[in-house]
Amino acid sequence: DVKVTQSSRYLVKRTGEKVFLECVQDMDHENMFWYRQDPGLGLRLIYFSYDVKMKEKGDIPEGYSVSREKKERFSLILESASTNQTSMYLCATLANTDTQYFGPGTRLTVL
Amino acid sequence: DQQVKQNSPSLSVQEGRISILNCDYTNSMFDYFLWYKKYPAEGPTFLISISSIKDKNEDGRFTVFLNKSAKHLSLHIVPSQPGDSAVYFCAAVVRRYGGSQGNLIFGKGTKLSVKP
């Protein structure tokens, strides 16, 4: 079974704070992804990484950065949180079968 | 421009009946499709997938049909159960740089409600 864990299920931060969301997978997968999910908008790709220290922008990278120092860990960073970044953040890892497996999600609220 | 479209935001079905969730896509280069199910406050869980070389894939109560000429796929759930109530996302694989690995493009989801 693929296991993807995210550091927090719920997080409340203030505008302007730096926010770190952590994701860990135990399957030695090379590819990892960060999405946000908003009602009526589906899942939108923020960033992905296909190897350690490698990263690529997804569809909505503005206001975010990422870090992949170890294969099993992929971090999403909000440099200066804003209220429009209130969302559900989902991490995923890619298996060889083109199937992505998701973590439980982090519900971030920015006040 | 949406490449993967789920035109019905919601669907309500009676327990025991068939649920049919639809998905349309625009890019004929897509070669692999997946359906995910998502409960509130949880991550999406993979349900079933289909390669473009097939027109049907079945797994228990779940069947996915692919009509390449119409660029349409559908997920059938038979019989529907109250525990199936969730948001269902259709996704297509977009190959990176023409290689074997790909990213997913998701539809906006359809909320299924199965009434007892």
Side-chain angles (χ1 to χ4, degrees), chain B residues 51-69:
Chain B
S51 164
S52 61
I53 61 173
K54 295 185 174 183
D55 53 20
K56 177 182 174 180
N57 189 25
E58 196 171 349
D59 184 2
R61 295 186 298 115
F62 302 92
T63 303
V64 56
F65 295 91
L66 175 62
N67 181 334
K68 280 184 294 185
S69 60

Side-chain angles (χ1 to χ4, degrees), chain A residues 9-10 30-31 33 35 37 40-43 45 48-50 56 59 88 90 94 97-105 107, chain B residues 31-32 34 36 38-46 49 87 89 93 95-97 100-109:
Chain A
R9 294 298 302 273
Y10 298 93
E30 292 176 345
N31 293 263
F33 305 81
Y35 296 87
Q37 187 218 347
L41 295 178
L43 277 72
L45 181 63
F48 66 98
S49 168
Y50 51 90
E56 286 214 20
D59 300 317
M88 173 73 129
L90 295 159
L94 177 66
T97 55
D98 274 329
T99 303
Q100 290 187 18
Y101 293 94
F102 286 82
R107 169 69 66 189
Chain B
D31 60 9
Y32 199 77
L34 305 93
Y36 285 84
K38 187 180 182 301
Y39 293 118
E42 292 185 15
T45 53
F46 168 69
S49 60
V87 177
F89 291 99
V93 176
R95 299 291 166 202
R96 281 183 239 147
Y97 321 119
S100 60
Q101 293 187 333
N103 291 353
L104 294 181
I105 293 184
F106 285 86
K108 294 185 177 182

Side-chain angles (χ1 to χ4, degrees), chain A residues 13-67:
Chain A
K13 296 290 181 181
R14 296 212 173 271
T15 302
E17 280 193 79
K18 191 168 186 176
V19 182
F20 292 87
L21 302 182
E22 298 256 296
C23 176
V24 178
Q25 52 106 351
D26 66 351
M27 290 301 292
D28 203 37
H29 289 160
E30 292 176 345
N31 293 263
M32 296 184 74
F33 305 81
W34 275 105
Y35 296 87
R36 62 179 283 177
Q37 187 218 347
D38 301 288
L41 295 178
L43 277 72
R44 294 180 292 166
L45 181 63
I46 304 171
Y47 266 97
F48 66 98
S49 168
Y50 51 90
D51 204 349
V52 175
K53 295 193 188 295
M54 306 303 284
K55 59 187 179 185
E56 286 214 20
K57 293 179 181 178
D59 300 317
I60 51 163
E62 296 79 19
Y64 303 94
S65 62
V66 290
S67 173

